[in-house]
Amino acid sequence: MPRRKDIKKILIIGSGPIIISQACEFDYSGTQACKVLRQEGYKIVLVNSNPATIMTDPEFADSTYIEPLTVGSLEKIIAKERPDALLPTLGGQTALNLAVKLSEAGVLRKYGVNTIGANIKAIKKGEDRKLFRDSMKKIGLDLPKSGFAYDLTQAKQIVQEIGFPVIIRPSFTLGGTGGSVVYNAEEFTESAKTGLSASMIGEVLIEESVIGWKEFELEVMRDSKDNVVIICSIENFDPMGIHTGDSITVAPIQTLTDREYQKMRDAAISCIRQIGVETGGSNIQFAVNPKTGRMVIIEMNPRVSRSSALASKATGFPIAKIAAKLAVGYTLDEIANDITLKTPACFEPAIDYCIVKIPRFTFEKFPSADATLTVSMKSVGETMAIGRTFKEALQKAVRSLEIKKYGLESAVFKDLRNIKPQGDLLESIYKKLRIPNADRLFYIGDALRSGIGIDKINEITAIDRWFLYNIKEIIDMEKTILENKDSITKEILAKAKKYGFSDKQLAGLLDREEGEIYRLRKSLGITSDFKSVDTCSGEFQAYTPYFYSTYNK
């Protein structure tokens, strides 16, 4: 299909202030949309309350407004600019919520503005948790037991039926705002009040707890011909109970069988069709009981998201750019892949490397804040690393955090050659394993160094054994390096580099200077190789100069 010619001018709403859970990733997606739509010949009207963004640079839109993101200010801009269409799916939760409010206030109808990408009905079905639950039941997808409340009395009645623990999820919020995990009646009243006040429509979903279940997310694209592709599969290192923005995440999914993955893929495709996202991207989240295999759908966002930005970088598939093209009439088979220049966008990306994202926290700047990780997001950013294996990518991601760690180093032990955990020290390790926190990854390493077994760590944390085995291999390699400190061999050094050990990290273990390690491995012929990031596992030549380094050649 050719691009729509009945549209001349498009309104794009930004995400507003850079805050926890809604930040620069939406500036990125909005900027990409502005660029591609202007190239297609459309006039762009951009509105954002935050001038400190790329999208508000004058060259990205024909008209740029730095105004409060409210219905009143948007109506004035619409009355002046008279756009033909509103594209609300590229500005985070702010844009979606404003689109709904503009529709309910009659502004869109008054000025003849159509929504593109996702219509108002689809937005409500995706964001209103009651409508979402009803929609999923229609297509036979399993959900956690739950009920909806609009006041405290209803909330108490529902929790009596479900029983503790429960998760409170407000409708129309981002980053888990207003959400909480509640374990007893004493906590419940305050948490329910917070959730009700956070919701734009005063609605909360009170849901049976699936804490400890494995969490997954699929990035899905749909076009106007009902072609649907899965752009990226993402698995959370941390189990349910921690907001995905605060969890270490890994792409592609590592611990599902192909049968389980295909079941999840089919469910995601059914979901986006039932919600009615006409064109563009959505992220859809699932939980899987590790003991029984029961899969439930948790939620979906009918828009590009924080995870979409990660998926774009991970696969090389420009989700925001393609979502904008789909919104104006193109179909996936008509859009060329920027990387291969041969395959169309309807080809599902296939990657032959591993992506690890680790969230960045700054609790030291907020000493009074509760540092426990829950369903409400608290991270302020993240790092992403690419490697041929999970181990390599994990250690690369750690040293990108800029927290003075150069790999999976110890949180408590000064001398790794003389580890004697006992008493308060051992108890502190157990405590850090039990209570989700920003440093739990490093305490998992210390638990393994202390001789605590994988099964015990899995029992305490509910982190899948596959991830724990990989971390144990890093710790075992660390022990091997220490045991061969005075006679390090080429084989050990090469294997350590394949496991993601940095020269700085190796220098600390071997009591040498970083430069000395660099010269030693170079003399032994241990050097990195560079692989291209493409969407087809090297099946077609990649033309985008986007590379990652690896020692796994």
Side-chain angles (χ1 to χ4, degrees), residues 407-447:
L408 192 60
E409 299 176 359
S410 174
V412 298
F413 299 122
K414 302 293 185 185
D415 184 1
L416 296 180
R417 287 172 287 273
N418 187 29
I419 296 176
K420 295 179 180 179
Q422 54 190 347
D424 291 343
L425 181 58
L426 191 58
E427 179 54 36
S428 71
I429 292 174
Y430 274 113
K431 182 179 179 181
K432 290 290 187 178
L433 294 181
R434 283 193 297 268
I435 302 173
N437 62 88
D439 296 319
R440 186 156 70 164
L441 173 65
F442 303 105
Y443 282 91
I444 289 171
D446 284 335

Side-chain angles (χ1 to χ4, degrees), residues 169-180:
R169 300 182 187 275
S171 296
F172 286 92
T173 63
L174 179 75
T177 301
S180 58

Side-chain angles (χ1 to χ4, degrees), residues 150-350:
Y150 301 89
D151 59 42
L152 197 56
T153 301
Q154 291 177 339
K156 289 180 177 178
Q157 290 173 346
I158 293 166
V159 81
Q160 285 178 356
E161 296 171 6
I162 296 176
F164 291 107
V166 295
I167 298 176
I168 296 176
R169 300 182 187 275
S171 296
F172 286 92
T173 63
L174 179 75
T177 301
S180 58
V181 182
V182 183
Y183 293 91
N184 53 58
E186 289 73 25
E187 301 172 351
F188 183 74
T189 299
E190 193 60 38
S191 296
K193 287 180 180 177
T194 300
L196 287 164
S197 64
S199 171
M200 185 179 84
I201 59 174
E203 176 187 87
V204 294
L205 172 67
I206 300 171
E207 186 176 79
E208 74 168 304
S209 171
V210 288
I211 289 175
W213 291 29
K214 292 157 64 168
E215 185 172 2
F216 303 91
E217 188 169 346
L218 298 184
E219 295 296 321
V220 190
M221 295 282 284
R222 185 187 187 208
D223 68 17
S224 57
K225 285 184 178 177
D226 196 29
N227 296 310
V228 184
V229 293
I230 308 298
I231 303 304
C232 188
S233 66
I234 301 172
E235 178 168 1
N236 283 22
F237 173 90
D238 298 294
M240 291 291 296
I242 299 174
H243 190 278
T244 187
D246 286 349
S247 174
I248 297 169
T249 57
V250 183
I253 285 172
Q254 302 291 322
T255 70
L256 288 182
T257 64
D258 183 61
R259 184 181 295 272
E260 289 173 315
Y261 171 69
Q262 294 303 328
K263 178 183 175 184
M264 187 177 292
R265 182 183 182 280
D266 290 345
I269 292 172
S270 297
C271 173
I272 195 171
R273 285 174 171 159
Q274 177 63 26
I275 293 301
V277 175
E278 297 162 318
T279 65
S282 297
N283 69 301
I284 304 172
Q285 290 173 261
F286 297 89
V288 174
N289 187 323
K291 296 179 180 178
T292 66
R294 178 190 170 198
M295 182 185 79
V296 297
I297 188 165
I298 301 298
E299 66 179 3
M300 74 95 72
N301 288 303
R303 55 172 171 79
V304 298
S305 64
R306 177 182 46 257
S307 298
S308 302
L310 171 68
S312 292
K313 296 181 182 75
T315 63
F317 189 101
I319 291 176
K321 176 181 177 179
I322 291 177
K325 285 197 169 191
L326 296 179
V328 294
Y330 289 105
T331 55
L332 287 164
D333 57 308
E334 295 173 331
I335 302 171
N337 186 314
D338 288 347
I339 290 180
T340 65
L341 303 182
K342 293 180 181 178
T343 58
C346 58
F347 274 48
E348 289 192 351

Side-chain angles (χ1 to χ4, degrees), residues 30-51:
T31 301
Q32 291 298 308
C34 289
K35 287 173 66 177
V36 71
L37 293 176
R38 289 190 81 192
Q39 288 170 2
E40 292 293 332
Y42 294 102
K43 297 288 185 182
I44 300 300
V45 179
L46 175 70
V47 187
N48 199 3
S49 61
N50 182 8

Side-chain angles (χ1 to χ4, degrees), residues 354-372:
C354 183
I355 304 290
V356 173
K357 178 219 81 178
I358 301 182
R360 177 74 157 87
F361 300 91
T362 55
F363 287 117
E364 69 276 4
K365 296 181 179 178
F366 307 98
S368 62
D370 180 5
T372 303

Side-chain angles (χ1 to χ4, degrees), residues 34 38 44-46 55 57-64:
C34 289
R38 289 190 81 192
I44 300 300
V45 179
L46 175 70
M55 67 165 65
D57 285 357
E59 66 266 27
F60 288 112
D62 296 280
S63 301
T64 301

